[in-house]
Structure formats: structure tokens, C-alpha cells
Amino acid sequence: MNRADQEAYRRDYAQAKKEGKPFYPYAIYKDHVVAVLVFAGIIGMAIWQRVGVGPPVYSATSTFEPRPEWYFYFLFQLLKIFKNQTALVPVIMATFVIPNVLMVLLLATPFIDRRAERRISKRPFALSVAILAFMGMAWLTYQGETGATPTVGATTIPFTGITPGSAAAAGETVYLTEGCSSCHMVKGVGGQVGPNLTTIGTAGKSATYSGKLPVPVPGATGPTYSGANWFVLHTECPTCAKPGSSMPAFASLSATDLQNLATFLNGLGTTYK
Amino acid sequence: MSTTDIGPKGSATKAGGAVVGHVDHRTGATTGIGWFLKRNIPGETSWFQTLGFAAMAVFGLQAVTGIVLAMYYKPDPTTAYGSIRHITNDVTWGWLVRGMHKWGASAMIIVVFLHMARVFIFGSYKYPRELTWVTGALLLIMVMFMGLTGYLLVWDQKAYWATVVAMNITASAPIIGPYIADILRGGTTFNSDTLSRFYAIHMLVIPGGIATFIGLHLFLVSKLGISEPPWSKRSTRARRAEEAAARAAARQRGPRGRHEVTVDPEPQTLTAEAGQ
Ligand code: HEM
């Protein structure tokens, strides 16, 4: 908008105000009508759709999806789309570039669109952008709502050497359902909060710990824990196996799950690749 | 206060008037509120222009229900989950307050989003309201962060892992990502202080920011005045009159005459419509 446009707008708006009505009561009553309707909607939903509590953290339930609130679905969906691409389109696009570009565009809207015209019928470009943005968000949200686990964690890892039905296969299932891959990467799948576990079986871990294990596992009796037993100890009590470890403890798994998981982890990089 | 001038005043009315007068004399409060309420706004405002107020009202509701929840909630990894169960199952009306807070969060997102859509469609972000838009966009981002930090507080399986993953995503951003994630988590990984940190951010840091920015937003809205819908009868009439005047002037000065119209707000529109 140039100077003349701005002056014209100010003059026009002053005129609108002069011919206008006082804020109280004309606008304020409408405001309150709508606010009361919104409140009624909120209370109605709270009564109609009771908010529940899911299982507690680390309970041994095998089915849970680390889903965010619905208004973040579009971001998670974006991540999922980019995760399935080749290395040419890194995940950074979805986690960083796109959200930040969108945020900057949002903040800068008034400085990008500086034309004087305000009637939407005369702003076809702005209208298209609005419709596209809305449809895009709605579509991604819908996909995120109906799609499978939209996380950095994984649902399968492409392994060789794991026979279906074996202890290692059961261990892999525990690994995936407990959300280990939210934090750990194995063969390029998973998050990066914790160390990469692709070859953890070759690390020759051992520790001495003379306390009692939260979940007694047959065969894993201290004080020296090495091989698969170290993984049992570490999963139940990370700080016992690695003093100062910041990994959360998984002390509510069953003894069988722990054993299977340990078998799987202990073979990573050697038997299971 | 001059409303009690008619008839004899009771001593209580007089005392009340004196207190109000005393405060107003020193703060200008009644004058200011009077100005705020009685200031003129354009005659034709749309129902869509109530959504900002609705967003503010829901924020107030979130504050009240949030305070009630804070009276029972225990931000510690060992007790958080139990205290949420307690609120939901045992505390009188606890389920309702929690339900209202939870649904209120979704309602807030929807209402703020619709408010933004109306501002966009009305072109209300244009001169002179650019900064109103910027403060509003920052509010939207803060409201989203409220959702992110509040979600973890339930400390159930789903919320926990979703937040672990969200932090994971944050940490994967280049350069500053790891630092931001460390600040949010209170360490390089999720740990027992993360919950209380999220709690502090959720109930102190962001609400403070939102309240401040609502203040700025409202200051700008009342200073600049609420915009008139661009298709209002009055502005259409004004535009027609201006176009007629411009056409008359154009006729008078002839096709090659000197350009004498000093204000020419929308040249493209004018030529387009003059040709019809
Ligand atoms: C916590 C969130 C928000 C609150 C409480 C809020 C509140 C308000 C209120 C009360 C008004 C007065 C007019 C109306 O109700 O429409 C207003 C106007 C406005 N808002 Fe917001 N708002 C919020 C978010 C936003 C967002 C996300 C944007 C855009 C990015 C935005 C941009 C504007 C603009 C440009 C105006 C001036 C509109 C005009 O004069 O016609 N606001 N806001």
C-alpha cells in the first residue's frame, strides 16, 4: 500500500467509525452470545465424551500408539510422508524446513500481501492460498487420524537371520511395541535420542551389580552380568548396568519378554543383521 | 460518576461514588473503561468478528479450570498418573473440570484458527493492522505449545511416548534443535525432571506469554479500531460515490487532460469497472 492508499483507508475508516455504533452494547452482546455458545459446546462435549486415562507409562500393554493431540497430526503425517522417501529428501524437510517456512510465512503475511484491496472476491490469489492451506491441513490431519503409527519409531525392521516364532522374533516384537525405536536406531530405523543399537551385540557389555532385580529373570543372577544377561539388567535398571545412564527403566515387562528382548539385542550385529 | 445526580442520594451511594471518584481521579480507570465501551465501531460488523472474543473467553475458561486442576495435580513421575486418576474418578466434579480443560484446549485451537481465517478473508491484516496479525500469529504458536506441554502431564503411555517422539523431532532440527530439546527436557534425555519442567512451562511460562500478547493484541485492536467488513453497505456506497466522482472528473478533463484527482485509491479497479 502506498501513502495515498493508506491515507484513503484512514479517511474511509474514520468515516465508518463516525457513522458507526458504540462498542457497548452493539458488539459486546454479539461477543457474549458466541462465547456462551462456545462454552456450552465445551461443557456439552465434556459431559458427552468423558475424558479417560490411558495405561500408565511402562505398563506392559503391547498396543499403544505414541500419538500427539489431533492438532499436531498434520506435522506427524508430514514426517511420515518424508520418512518414506529416499535419502534425497531428508527428514529434516518435514521436521524443520517445512514447519519453519510455514511459520515465517504466517508471521509475514501482512508484509507479503500489501495490496489495498480487501474484498476477497477481488483477491483470487489470496483466496486460493487460503483454500489450499486449509485443504492441505485438513487432508494431513485426516491421514494422521486414520493412518498407522505416525512416529519416528518403527513397525518393522528389515532383518536377516531372525526365524519367525523364535525367541529373537518375540524379542524384536517387544523391542518395537515397547517403543525402544522411538529413541534408538537399528539399521537406519528409529530415533536418535539414545545410541544406535545396530551392532550393540558386539559391544561386549558387562557389569557387576549385587542388588536384587525388580523382575527376577531365571538365569540372570548377579553379581556379574554379561552377554544377554547384561541386557536384562540394563532394560530393568539402566543405571545398575551403566552408572549415570539416562535411559528410562522398563521394569514392568514380564520375565519372558525380558529374556526374549535380551536374546534379540545380544545378537544384534552378529546373528541378526 | 454523574448518574446519581437526580434525586436524593443515599449515604451508601455517596460513599460508593466517592470511592469510585477517588480511584478514577488517580488512575483514570472509569474514564478509560468508559472510553473503551463507548467508543464507536463501524456500524455493520459481522458475527465472524466475535471469534477473537470467544478465543479470549476460552483462554479465561482454561485458566480457571487449569487452576482447579493444579489444586489436585502432582507433577512428579511417580504421582502424576495417580493424581490424574484421582481427579477423574474421585474428586467431586473432577471429571467435568478435567473434561472442560481437555475439550477447551481443542476448542481454543479451533476458535483461534477460525478467527485467523476470518481475519484473512476480511483482509483485516492489512494496513494499519499488520502488527495485530503478528501478535496474533505468535499467540497461535503459543496456544499450540500449550497443547504440546499439557499433553505430557497426564503421564500415560500414549502421551509419554508421543512427547518423547516430539522431543526427538525437536532435537533432530539442525544446529539449535538439540539445545531447544535439552532446555525443554531439562537434560539430554527424558528424565524425572522433565515432567515438572513441562508443568512449569505449561502453567506459568506460556500462559504468562499468552496473557501478555493478548494484552498487546487487544491494545492494538482497540487503538486501531475493529475493521469494517470490506463488503459493508457503507463502504460499497462510498466506493460507488468515489468512482462516480472519478468518472465525472475523467469526463470533464477529457482523454488527454491533466490528472487532477488527488486521491486515487484503487486505480486498477477503477479502470476495470469504468470499462464495463
Ligand atoms: C489467543 C488467541 C487470540 C485471541 C485471544 C485474539 C483476540 C482478538 C480479539 C478479541 C479481536 C477483536 C476482533 C475480533 O474478535 O475479531 C482480535 C482481532 C484481530 N486478531 Fe486476534 N486473537 C487471537 C489470535 C489471533 C491470530 C492467530 C491472528 C492471526 C494470525 C489474529 C489476528 C487478528 C487481527 C489482524 C485482528 C484485527 C482484526 C480487525 O480489526 O478486524 N489474532 N483478536
Side-chain angles (χ1 to χ4, degrees):
Chain A
M1 261 176 137
N2 56 33
R3 250 283 143 63
D5 284 339
Q6 297 186 347
E7 268 164 25
Y9 181 78
R10 274 213 302 275
R11 216 169 323 111
D12 185 61
Y13 186 71
Q15 186 62 28
K17 241 177 143 162
K18 209 160 93 203
E19 294 176 23
K21 293 184 297 200
F23 175 65
Y24 173 88
Y26 292 101
I28 221 167
Y29 104 83
K30 282 182 168 176
D31 282 346
H32 282 82
V33 168
V34 172
V36 165
L37 287 178
V38 172
F39 275 27
I42 291 171
I43 295 173
M45 286 308 278
I47 293 172
W48 182 47
Q49 292 281 313
R50 297 281 184 103
V51 172
V53 194
V57 180
Y58 303 138
S59 59
T61 48
S62 51
T63 49
F64 72 93
E65 287 180 79
R67 263 169 197 263
E69 290 275 50
W70 62 268
Y71 38 86
F72 289 111
Y73 283 179
F74 75 100
L75 278 178
F76 266 52
Q77 189 59 27
L78 210 60
L79 178 64
K80 222 171 112 190
I81 291 174
F82 278 90
K83 227 181 70 185
N84 296 335
Q85 304 297 315
T86 54
L88 267 181
V89 217
V91 175
I92 303 282
M93 275 300 280
T95 60
F96 183 72
V97 179
I98 295 180
N100 283 296
V101 166
L102 287 180
M103 218 152 76
V104 169
L105 282 179
L106 177 74
L107 282 166
T109 300
F111 310 103
I112 298 170
D113 174 15
R114 299 163 62 150
R115 290 173 55 233
E117 182 58 64
R118 280 162 212 255
R119 285 165 295 177
I120 194 70
S121 52
K122 307 246 156 135
R123 296 157 57 212
F125 182 72
L127 183 63
S128 326
V129 169
I131 291 175
L132 276 180
F134 181 79
M135 305 255 286
M137 299 260 291
W139 185 76
L140 285 173
T141 303
Y142 174 76
Q143 293 289 313
E145 162 78 44
T146 53
T149 323
T151 66
V152 173
T155 46
T156 52
I157 303 175
F159 276 115
T160 55
I162 295 190
T163 23
S166 66
E172 186 192 349
T173 310
V174 174
Y175 177 87
L176 291 171
T177 49
E178 286 303 315
C180 308
S181 62
S182 302
C183 298
H184 291 289
M185 187 169 292
V186 170
K187 296 197 67 177
V189 179
Q192 298 181 333
V193 169
N196 190 319
L197 299 181
T198 309
T199 58
I200 191 70
T202 62
K205 296 279 183 186
S206 85
T208 25
Y209 172 68
S210 40
K212 258 181 61 180
L213 281 179
V215 181
V217 174
T221 44
T224 306
Y225 293 83
S226 60
N229 285 343
W230 183 85
F231 289 103
V232 170
L233 175 69
H234 180 269
T235 312
E236 289 194 43
C237 176
T239 45
C240 307
K242 258 181 98 177
S245 167
S246 50
M247 184 177 124
F250 286 73
S252 52
L253 291 172
S254 70
T256 326
D257 279 350
L258 283 166
Q259 268 176 323
N260 291 341
L261 181 64
T263 310
F264 166 71
L265 292 171
N266 196 37
L268 277 181
T270 53
T271 329
Y272 320 122
K273 293 190 195 178
Chain B
M1 295 292 282
S2 56
T3 45
T4 48
D5 280 350
I6 312 154
K9 291 179 186 171
S11 51
T13 320
K14 262 194 244 167
V19 171
V20 172
H22 179 94
V23 173
D24 186 44
H25 185 69
R26 284 158 184 81
T27 61
T30 30
T31 320
I33 293 168
W35 170 84
F36 181 76
L37 291 176
K38 290 186 195 131
R39 86 207 138 95
N40 255 18
I41 54 165
E44 306 162 58
T45 49
S46 151
W47 278 93
F48 290 109
Q49 286 170 285
T50 60
L51 290 166
F53 181 84
M56 210 165 69
V58 178
F59 179 68
L61 185 71
Q62 292 300 87
V64 173
T65 51
I67 287 170
V68 174
L69 290 176
M71 290 170 180
Y72 295 93
Y73 180 72
K74 301 188 176 61
D76 181 274
T78 54
T79 50
Y81 181 76
S83 69
I84 293 279
R85 281 206 98 99
H86 178 60
I87 292 169
T88 317
N89 301 331
D90 310 330
V91 177
T92 314
W93 299 113
W95 62 272
L96 182 64
V97 175
R98 179 163 173 243
M100 283 167 68
H101 198 72
K102 184 98 180 166
W103 282 105
S106 290
M108 180 108 187
I109 296 278
I110 295 173
V111 170
V112 170
F113 198 82
L114 290 177
H115 168 59
M116 185 175 78
R118 108 71 190 142
V119 168
F120 189 85
I121 298 293
F122 279 40
S124 301
Y125 54 87
K126 300 191 174 206
Y127 175 87
R129 300 186 181 82
E130 296 94 333
L131 292 182
T132 320
W133 173 278
V134 173
T135 53
L138 291 172
L139 278 168
L140 177 66
I141 293 165
M142 285 192 269
V143 169
M144 301 276 290
F145 266 100
M146 281 305 264
L148 181 80
T149 49
Y151 197 50
L152 177 71
L153 302 185
V154 180
W155 207 248
D156 63 0
Q157 188 87 292
K158 191 171 123 171
Y160 178 84
W161 291 112
T163 314
V164 167
V165 172
M167 287 301 98
N168 206 349
I169 293 175
T170 311
S172 74
I175 308 165
I176 55 164
Y179 295 101
I180 294 179
D182 287 0
I183 290 170
L184 289 172
R185 284 186 301 228
T188 49
T189 44
F190 240 74
N191 58 66
S192 52
D193 287 335
T194 310
L195 178 59
S196 45
R197 184 163 294 217
F198 267 53
Y199 184 57
I201 295 174
H202 182 78
M203 68 170 295
L204 297 170
V205 180
I206 311 180
I210 292 185
T212 310
F213 272 82
I214 287 183
L216 284 173
H217 199 67
L218 281 196
F219 168 75
L220 288 172
V221 168
S222 52
K223 179 177 190 314
L224 301 170
I226 182 80
S227 62
E228 188 180 38
W231 48 83
S232 71
K233 293 200 195 73
R234 189 210 60 83
S235 63
T236 312
R237 223 185 305 120
R239 203 178 293 114
R240 292 255 161 78
E242 242 171 62
E243 283 162 13
R247 271 200 296 274
R251 263 200 304 279
Q252 215 168 37
R253 66 173 184 258
R256 284 167 188 281
R258 238 173 68 89
H259 199 298
E260 276 176 5
V261 182
T262 43
V263 181
D264 195 1
E266 292 163 347
Q268 311 95 323
T269 325
L270 283 184
T271 39
E273 293 196 353
Q276 278 164 9

